[in-house]
Amino acid sequence: MLETERYREAIELLHFLVQCDSGDPRTNEEWQALLDWLRTMQPELYAEEEEDISEEELRRRQLTGKEKNNANYVNELLQILQDGTNLAKQALALEQLSCLDHPSINEALKNWLVSPRLPPILQFKVLQVLKRRGEGGTVTLEKLGEKIVLDIQDTPPSFQEFPQEAYSIVERFLSFSESKHPVLAYFASETWQEFLAYAYGTSIYRELLSLSEEQMDAWACAFHLVLEETMVGTPDEEDILELYGMTDRLKFALARATTMFKSFVRDVFPRS
């Protein structure tokens, strides 16, 4: 969040974490210290009672000032996208470009979007930025081994505007786990948003929107297994299978969804 300048989200997460008892006093102190540091570094986020300014507008003002002071600023950001050496820096450059008004940005983003090496989540973020900047028309992409055609203006501008069906899986997970694992539940929501960006426009995404009730249970169970394995370690598989009511009839759907989520984790959260 800090690398991509999502300061308000980072502050909200830390507010949540300091209310949880990690069981380790040092960890609790570190969370509080980081929250205090953010309050010091981002005082403008606490001045909104005096002046109602959104975080996006504050960022836009800051970046416009940088562009005025550096005639090559936009080209430098575009070069970061082309270098392709650091995903976090690319995402940050993309967010910065979304706030700037320059005639070369849209065409440069459209050309970058069709790069075969572009990670799926960045493809989705580029589509969002192009829509936000008023770009229209269709684009043809290679994504997760598929060739897909997408209308830029159909891109959900925020995760709150995905179809309700897209959240059925994570809602099932939360209904079973939110009270037992509150921190894991928070990261489940974050991870699910990453998954939607990863799968958007592909056959996996279309399948997600048309699952039966039983299939939703299998996908939610697979998501729980993979998320807990990724965040915590070896999950209690037998207990989780029982929690979601998995039967022999759902074994194939469960195995397929588990394989899919593991591929997502490998692609999006590679370990060094």
Side-chain angles (χ1 to χ4, degrees):
M1 288 178 181
L2 296 181
E3 286 180 342
T4 55
E5 297 186 348
R6 293 156 58 198
Y7 300 121
R8 178 177 281 112
E9 291 181 56
I11 289 169
E12 290 174 354
L13 170 58
L14 286 165
H15 269 302
F16 171 78
L17 290 175
V18 296
Q19 296 174 44
C20 300
D21 184 2
S22 70
D24 180 359
R26 180 175 295 180
T27 297
N28 295 338
E29 290 174 5
E30 289 175 350
W31 285 343
Q32 185 64 57
L34 183 54
L35 177 58
D36 293 341
W37 176 79
L38 274 171
R39 285 171 171 165
T40 302
M41 297 301 295
Q42 297 295 320
E44 63 271 21
L45 295 183
Y46 294 89
E48 294 180 6
E49 290 183 358
E50 299 177 7
E51 184 180 5
D52 187 15
I53 302 174
S54 68
E55 188 172 0
E56 182 177 352
E57 179 58 27
L58 287 168
R59 185 184 297 121
R60 186 182 300 277
R61 292 181 186 183
Q62 293 170 350
L63 293 171
T64 299
K66 289 183 180 180
E67 184 184 15
K68 287 180 179 179
N69 294 328
N70 180 1
N72 202 41
Y73 186 60
V74 169
N75 289 332
E76 290 173 357
L77 293 176
L78 291 172
Q79 188 58 51
I80 291 173
L81 299 186
Q82 295 296 332
D83 286 345
T85 55
N86 187 302
L87 186 61
K89 288 184 178 179
Q90 286 178 303
L92 176 57
L94 184 59
E95 283 299 314
Q96 291 172 328
L97 286 166
S98 73
C99 297
L100 296 171
D101 184 16
H102 191 283
S104 67
I105 292 176
N106 283 20
E107 195 60 33
L109 291 180
K110 288 177 71 175
N111 291 335
W112 187 56
L113 176 61
V114 298
S115 169
R117 294 181 300 171
L118 194 64
I121 289 180
L122 274 184
Q123 287 177 326
F124 178 73
K125 291 182 183 297
V126 175
L127 288 168
Q128 284 186 313
V129 170
L130 286 170
K131 177 175 181 174
R132 195 183 312 162
R133 297 178 60 82
E135 192 68 26
T138 60
V139 289
T140 302
L141 306 175
E142 294 283 344
K143 187 172 184 179
L144 303 185
E146 302 176 24
K147 180 173 284 188
I148 59 176
V149 179
L150 298 172
D151 189 314
I152 293 172
Q153 285 300 311
D154 287 343
T155 309
S158 69
F159 287 107
Q160 289 71 33
E161 295 181 62
F162 271 87
Q164 177 59 37
E165 294 84 353
Y167 280 94
S168 298
I169 306 304
V170 73
E171 286 173 355
R172 270 171 160 71
F173 169 86
L174 292 173
S175 69
F176 286 118
S177 305
E178 195 163 21
S179 61
K180 296 181 180 179
H181 306 290
V183 175
L184 188 63
Y186 177 88
F187 286 107
S189 298
E190 287 282 302
T191 303
W192 190 255
Q193 290 183 359
E194 297 281 359
F195 177 73
L196 289 179
Y198 174 82
Y200 178 74
T202 66
S203 59
I204 293 173
Y205 178 75
R206 293 192 297 273
E207 181 180 353
L208 173 65
L209 300 183
S210 60
L211 294 173
S212 68
E213 291 293 320
E214 280 192 329
Q215 289 171 330
M216 286 181 189
D217 287 336
W219 279 49
C221 183
F223 180 66
H224 188 149
L225 286 166
V226 174
L227 182 68
E228 189 163 332
E229 180 180 16
T230 304
M231 300 295 298
V232 180
T234 305
D236 187 336
E237 185 171 340
E238 185 176 339
D239 183 58
I240 295 173
L241 294 178
E242 183 178 350
L243 185 64
Y244 289 87
M246 291 297 98
T247 63
D248 288 343
R249 186 171 58 183
L250 294 172
K251 278 186 176 179
F252 176 77
L254 176 65
R256 182 175 176 277
T258 301
T259 299
M260 178 188 61
F261 285 128
K262 285 187 175 181
S263 295
F264 157 68
V265 169
R266 283 195 301 269
D267 290 347
V268 178
F269 309 111
R271 297 185 179 183
S272 58

